[in-house]
Amino acid sequence: MSTYTKYKQRVCYTIGEAGHDMAYNLMTNYFVIFATTALFAGLKNANQLIALLTGSIVVIRLLEIFFDPIIAGFIDSTSTRFGKFKPWAWGGTMIHALFLIVLYSGFFRFFENNYLLLAISVIVSYALIDLVYTFKDTSFAGMIPALSVNSQERGILNSWARIGAAAGGGDIVPLFMVPVVTFFTFLMTGRHEQGVQGWFWLGLILAIYSALTMTISMTGVKEVDSAIRVNHQKFSFKSVFQSIFQNDQLMWISLTYLVFAIGNVTTKPSIFYVYNYVLDKPAWYWVVGAASTFCGIFSVPLYPILCKWITRKYVYVIAMVAMLLAQLTFVFSGRSLFLAVTATILFFLPQQLIALVTMMVAIDSIEYEQLKHGIRNEAVTVSIHGSLDKIAGALSSGIVGFIVIISGMGGATKAADLTAQNIQTFHLSAFILPSVLMLVSLAIFLWKVTLSEEKHAKIVETLMQKLSDTAGSPVSAGK
């Protein structure tokens, strides 16, 4: 592959990731805000509708965990002249964008006088859009091992994609969300508020952005034609789950990431309570959005450089040490704004590095499994990472709720309602528990994850030799 082609693929995949990440956040984080603050606002059964919607979303996301590998297995069995993943990634994005426009329109106010029908329509549509997103997410993420079998190039592609997600994805939305919604609401109604009309225009603009970026991406990337990637195995439920559970390196890196993710997503919402109740400075919560965006943009380009110097094993160790320092800084921050901001930056700085290391080990386990058991499932393997995020998110919701209750924040309306004991309890439960989980994650990684870059290179070399011996002539790896 020429240098020009490599850079073209990196840029185009990064552009696609920006819109892809935007669509995800538009479907999850911001849709719940839209539904609770605008769509159901002012309705007499608003609380019941919100409870019904949020409860249904939790159930949908948990059910999705079982279906993710099956959908991935179906994608893995696809073969078209455009490749295995392109049709699903592009087609899924177009359908997903249309669903987003309908959802953010509030169904064009057709059901505003029938609350139950509105809720049912929203829930059914959300279930469908979630299904479509799973197809497009699995296929788009699954393209990484299809664009190169070289571990270093995969790492670079993933790093560039993370920059796209941070710089042009959902993390940047909080910086302009409220002004845009307010502006369009005023333009349509003459009222200075965040109404359904303003949310519709935000949803429309970002849905078009998602569709446009994916179109650019899919015209600029090309799956490699390699004998290694030829999969003669037919799709079956047994083979899908067999390829997951017999791949010991995939299982260990998955457990490593799951334990970390539970601690990580428990900490993220807890930071809101630090600024809102402990410090009594809710206006400073913008620091979280800025840190999440700019720390990602700063740290991600370092990944391939660090891996060349010290390998990804030590990148993971250093990143985890930084995370633990962030947790301890939060514990001892008290009511200090300086320490809270310092801890926030320390917390977000290594996040992308940890995600990249665990994702790259999982992707490299594709060839590991192929050599060990003769099974190659690209989309199935990559889909595991997303499923782990969903499990962690579901579990963390309960943990955060418990922390809020025992800290006395459940009934608090302002910072003055909390005692020194409440704050101490909050700090210990919100940040010490995640620290323990992160230490466990680090221990599992150092003890059980053995698939290094060097080992993966030898695996690819062995596979190519085997395929060459079988074919009777040299076989290209399609780097």
Side-chain angles (χ1 to χ4, degrees):
M1 185 185 292
S2 68
T3 301
Y4 170 76
T5 303
K6 282 184 179 180
Y7 276 97
K8 179 185 175 184
Q9 289 219 128
R10 292 171 189 174
V11 170
C12 289
Y13 193 84
T14 301
I15 291 171
E17 180 63 43
H20 181 67
D21 188 73
M22 186 76 77
Y24 173 76
N25 281 279
L26 202 58
M27 182 186 74
T28 53
N29 301 335
Y30 310 125
F31 179 71
V32 173
I33 296 173
F34 160 63
T36 55
T37 63
L39 185 60
F40 297 151
L43 302 181
K44 63 179 181 181
N45 296 322
N47 287 337
Q48 292 92 324
L49 292 173
I50 291 169
L52 180 62
L53 173 63
T54 53
S56 299
I57 289 175
V58 170
V59 173
I60 290 168
R61 300 313 294 272
L62 289 175
L63 287 174
E64 201 182 307
I65 296 167
F66 173 77
F67 288 105
D68 281 359
I70 297 174
I71 291 171
F74 184 76
I75 293 171
D76 266 325
S77 65
T78 300
S79 178
T80 74
R81 67 188 183 93
F82 299 106
K84 182 191 296 185
F85 300 106
K86 271 190 179 183
W88 293 109
W90 186 83
T93 298
M94 299 305 112
I95 298 171
H96 192 260
L98 289 174
F99 266 116
L100 284 173
I101 293 169
V102 173
L103 275 176
Y104 274 85
S105 72
F107 295 90
F108 301 100
R109 315 306 294 269
F110 286 153
F111 308 124
E112 62 181 357
N113 295 321
N114 191 323
Y115 309 137
L116 182 59
L117 190 57
L118 174 62
I120 292 172
S121 300
V122 170
I123 292 167
V124 171
S125 297
Y126 192 90
L128 290 173
I129 196 175
D130 200 57
L131 177 65
V132 172
Y133 179 81
T134 301
F135 271 97
K136 96 182 191 77
D137 179 55
T138 304
S139 54
F140 185 69
M143 290 189 77
I144 291 286
L147 297 179
S148 176
V149 296
N150 180 275
S151 184
Q152 183 181 351
E153 179 60 21
R154 287 173 174 178
I156 294 171
L157 274 166
N158 234 326
S159 299
W160 281 52
R162 293 280 174 174
I163 295 173
D171 287 342
I172 205 169
V173 173
L175 299 178
F176 63 79
M177 181 175 71
V178 173
V180 169
V181 173
T182 304
F183 170 75
F184 279 107
T185 301
F186 175 75
L187 204 64
M188 301 299 292
T189 67
R191 298 191 299 271
H192 289 281
E193 61 185 26
Q194 298 168 46
V196 175
Q197 298 84 356
W199 279 100
F200 166 70
W201 280 99
L202 178 70
L204 176 65
I205 292 168
L206 297 185
I208 293 173
Y209 170 77
S210 169
L212 181 62
T213 52
M214 185 60 74
T215 300
I216 294 171
S217 180
M218 291 301 98
T219 57
V221 299
K222 186 179 185 300
E223 297 176 29
V224 295
D225 295 320
S226 168
I228 287 181
R229 292 195 60 238
V230 175
N231 189 2
H232 299 290
Q233 185 178 354
K234 293 183 179 180
F235 169 76
S236 70
F237 293 111
K238 180 181 178 181
S239 66
V240 166
F241 290 101
Q242 186 181 30
S243 69
I244 295 172
F245 292 110
Q246 71 182 6
N247 187 340
D248 60 287
Q249 286 303 289
L250 177 61
M251 286 291 93
W252 284 121
I253 196 63
S254 296
L255 182 60
T256 297
Y257 181 71
L258 177 61
V259 175
F260 161 76
I262 295 171
N264 185 47
V265 296
T266 297
T267 300
K268 279 184 178 179
S270 297
I271 297 175
F272 167 79
Y273 296 98
V274 170
Y275 285 93
N276 200 63
Y277 290 115
V278 177
L279 299 176
D280 194 20
K281 295 184 183 297
W284 275 83
Y285 189 64
W286 67 268
V287 171
V288 174
S292 177
T293 300
F294 295 109
C295 285
I297 293 173
F298 172 77
S299 64
V300 168
L302 293 177
Y303 175 77
I305 299 172
L306 290 172
C307 285
K308 278 187 176 181
W309 288 348
I310 57 176
T311 75
R312 64 192 178 201
K313 175 183 177 180
Y314 294 104
V315 171
Y316 193 82
V317 172
I318 292 170
M320 289 298 287
V321 169
M323 292 290 290
L324 290 168
L325 284 174
Q327 301 284 0
L328 290 176
T329 305
F330 272 123
V331 170
F332 295 106
S333 63
R335 295 185 182 273
S336 169
L337 177 63
F338 173 76
L339 286 178
V341 171
T342 302
T344 300
I345 295 170
L346 264 177
F347 177 74
F348 284 103
L349 195 58
Q351 296 255 329
Q352 298 291 353
L353 295 176
I354 292 170
L356 281 166
V357 171
T358 52
M359 175 61 85
M360 291 315 304
V361 174
I363 288 175
D364 284 354
S365 77
I366 293 171
E367 284 77 34
Y368 172 83
E369 174 69 2
Q370 185 177 1
L371 180 62
K372 193 173 183 181
H373 296 111
I375 297 174
R376 183 182 183 89
N377 282 317
E378 295 169 334
V380 170
T381 302
V382 175
S383 72
I384 299 300
H385 209 269
S387 297
L388 296 175
D389 281 325
K390 293 166 189 173
I391 295 172
L395 293 175
S396 70
S397 297
I399 296 172
V400 172
F402 176 73
I403 291 171
V404 169
I405 292 170
I406 65 171
S407 303
M409 292 183 176
T413 58
K414 56 184 182 298
D417 294 336
L418 300 180
T419 65
Q421 182 63 45
N422 290 145
I423 294 173
Q424 184 181 29
T425 301
F426 169 74
H427 276 138
L428 290 174
S429 56
F431 302 112
I432 292 297
L433 175 60
S435 297
V436 172
L437 291 171
M438 289 175 186
L439 281 171
V440 172
S441 171
L442 181 59
I444 296 170
F445 182 82
L446 293 174
W447 181 36
K448 287 294 185 179
V449 178
T450 60
L451 186 54
S452 64
E453 299 96 322
E454 183 181 0
K455 186 173 181 179
H456 176 260
K458 290 180 180 178
I459 289 171
V460 172
E461 185 180 345
T462 303
L463 280 172
M464 296 309 303
Q465 184 61 50
K466 283 188 173 184
L467 289 167
S468 178
D469 293 342
T470 302
S473 59
V475 179
S476 171
K479 291 183 181 181

